[in-house]
Amino acid sequence: MLPPMTQPASSDPVQTLREEFRRHLEVFYAGLKLAPPYHSVEKAIAQLTAALKAMTPEERARLASDPAGRWLEYRKAFAESGLNQKHRGIITGLARSRQSLDLAPEYDHFLSLFTSG
C-alpha cells in the first residue's frame, strides 16, 4: 500500500497526482504479476493530465486532499485509456478470485472495471 499523498506547498499538483497515479498503476500490475501495457499506461497518464489541467487550481487543490476523489479520477483515466481492455481475460479471472491477489482493497477501483458489465 502506498503512503498517503503529501503535497508540499511549492509542488505542482498536476505532476504530483500524475506520479501517484503512475505508482498506483505499477503496484496494480505488479500485484497481478503482469507486464503493464506501456502504450495504454502512457495514454492513461495523458488522460489524467488533461482532466487535471481542465480543472481550476482550486479543484486540483481539493482533489489533492481528497483520496476518494483521486481514486475516482484515476479510475476514469484507467477506463478512458482502454487499460480495462488490456489483459482482460487474465485480469477478469484474477479479479473474480480476489483473495489470491496481493493488492490493497483500493485497487478494486481498477479491478471492478474488469468484472462489471
Side-chain angles (χ1 to χ4, degrees):
M1 181 190 300
L2 293 174
M5 190 179 89
T6 57
Q7 181 180 352
S10 64
S11 75
D12 174 13
V14 172
Q15 186 63 30
T16 302
L17 293 167
R18 281 172 44 103
E19 289 171 7
E20 183 184 64
F21 183 46
R22 183 180 296 277
R23 283 193 322 272
H24 281 309
L25 292 174
E26 290 168 359
V27 169
F28 178 72
Y29 284 102
L32 296 172
K33 297 176 180 60
L34 293 171
Y38 177 77
H39 178 69
S40 296
V41 165
E42 294 306 315
K43 188 175 177 183
I45 292 167
Q47 290 282 140
L48 177 68
T49 302
L52 293 171
K53 288 184 176 183
M55 294 178 181
T56 65
E58 294 78 18
E59 290 170 323
R60 285 191 295 267
R62 208 170 16 258
L63 188 64
S65 64
D66 176 13
R70 287 197 309 271
W71 274 105
L72 290 175
E73 287 299 321
Y74 296 160
R75 184 179 196 278
K76 183 178 168 187
F78 191 97
E80 289 176 354
S81 70
L83 276 172
N84 61 323
Q85 300 301 315
K86 306 295 180 179
H87 302 304
R88 187 162 185 85
I90 295 167
I91 296 174
T92 298
L94 291 170
R96 288 195 176 126
S97 62
R98 174 80 174 75
Q99 66 277 11
S100 64
L101 297 179
D102 184 26
L103 289 171
E106 56 261 22
Y107 291 96
D108 287 350
H109 290 280
F110 297 154
L111 288 172
S112 66
L113 291 168
F114 293 90
T115 58
S116 62

